Amino acid sequence: MSSGIAIPDEVVDAYQKVQGSERKYQWVSFKIADDAKKVVVCDKGEIGNDTPWEDFVDRALPKDDTRWAVYDFKWQTNEGQDRQKPIMISWLVIHSHFIMIKSSKIKYHLHNAF
């Protein structure tokens, strides 16, 4: 991996539990480990708690650090049909210690790992 940061199986597993057949989480957030060698799971929102978007942002996306997250977004069409789709979020804080170039590489590797 060109970024030098590993994506462990537990990160992939947590992502799959947001959108896969074994759905367990409404959302999962990720960050770079303190040793800067791998991505780790930060926090998870269990299915059934139905975390509103605003609460998810407050809980999973800190104002002072970079995060990635997958959120099972639910909405209703103009025709009244319920829809849902997992969305991948890159939360990049300008004052973060994380370098933007590495961030784009991490997003690429996260996307390919899932």
Side-chain angles (χ1 to χ4, degrees):
M1 174 179 327
S2 61
S3 69
I5 298 175
I7 313 266
D9 290 342
E10 58 266 17
V11 169
V12 175
D13 182 56
Y15 170 85
Q16 290 172 343
K17 288 183 179 173
V18 173
Q19 76 162 12
S21 60
E22 298 179 31
R23 294 186 65 232
K24 183 177 178 181
Y25 306 121
Q26 180 187 6
W27 59 271
V28 177
S29 65
F30 310 97
K31 70 175 187 172
I32 301 297
D34 292 337
D35 65 4
K37 293 184 179 183
K38 64 183 177 180
V39 174
V40 295
V41 174
C42 284
D43 203 356
K44 307 171 207 169
E46 299 280 332
I47 286 182
N49 293 340
D50 288 332
T51 307
W53 175 257
E54 294 81 7
D55 294 345
F56 158 74
V57 170
D58 289 343
R59 183 171 164 188
L61 306 176
K63 293 178 172 62
D64 61 349
D65 203 4
T66 297
R67 293 285 191 274
W68 293 269
V70 180
Y71 181 86
D72 190 18
F73 190 74
K74 298 176 184 177
W75 75 97
Q76 196 171 57
T77 67
N78 291 337
E79 295 77 27
Q81 296 175 326
D82 291 331
R83 303 281 187 193
Q84 74 183 76
K85 184 173 186 169
I87 56 174
M88 181 78 176
I89 300 160
S90 293
W91 183 257
L92 305 174
V93 178
I94 293 174
H95 299 103
S96 171
H97 65 278
F98 198 67
I99 300 170
M100 295 286 278
I101 295 171
K102 271 195 173 179
S103 175
S104 66
K105 290 179 182 180
I106 297 297
K107 183 179 176 188
Y108 171 81
H109 290 298
L110 278 171
H111 180 71
N112 287 336
F114 303 142

